[in-house]
Amino acid sequence: MMEWLAVFVGGGTGSMLRFGISKWIGTTETGFPIATLAANILSCVVLGFAWIYFVKNTNFPPPYKSLILVGFCGGFSTFSTFSFETLKLFQAGEWLLGALYVLISVSSCLVILWLIGKS
């Protein structure tokens, strides 16, 4: 139960930070979503450093790992989770599966948004 609560708190915190960044940075004059890009990159940085820390500190309590890796980074940017999962596939030697995951994830989400936007 503590792990669920930790993910909830982390997710809310990450989402609030992402919202704050979007309000603070906004978009460029051309409409490029710089705030979203910043959140995605920052979230990947947090996830990467947290992952390295948790690998070295195996006795770190699971709820806190979930708070940061799943909750905070997931709320801050699902892109960080997507990138992490893709990296794990590549590290496991699953190059084709990793590439397929990227292709399906990006293309299906773009097509869905395009279809929704058309209606």
Side-chain angles (χ1 to χ4, degrees):
M1 184 63 176
M2 283 300 296
E3 200 164 10
W4 285 84
L5 182 60
V7 169
F8 174 76
V9 170
T13 304
S15 295
M16 288 175 58
L17 182 58
R18 183 181 68 232
F19 181 73
I21 286 174
S22 70
K23 292 295 184 187
W24 179 54
I25 297 176
T27 57
T28 64
E29 290 179 15
T30 63
F32 185 79
I34 191 74
T36 302
L37 180 61
N40 286 341
I41 292 170
L42 287 171
S43 184
C44 285
V45 169
V46 170
L47 191 143
F49 283 117
W51 175 39
I52 297 299
Y53 180 81
F54 294 142
V55 165
K56 292 180 181 177
N57 297 285
T58 56
N59 61 343
F60 208 80
Y64 295 112
K65 291 179 185 178
S66 295
L67 183 142
I68 295 168
L69 297 176
V70 178
F72 179 79
C73 290
F76 193 24
S77 166
T78 57
F79 190 77
S80 61
T81 304
F82 167 74
S83 299
F84 182 69
E85 291 169 343
T86 303
L87 176 65
K88 295 301 282 181
L89 287 170
F90 289 160
Q91 287 178 331
E94 297 289 343
W95 292 97
L96 183 58
L97 191 58
L100 189 60
Y101 181 51
V102 170
L103 179 66
I104 291 170
S105 296
V106 173
S107 61
S108 63
C109 290
L110 287 174
V111 168
I112 288 167
L113 289 174
W114 178 73
L115 289 171
I116 291 170
K118 281 186 68 160
S119 55

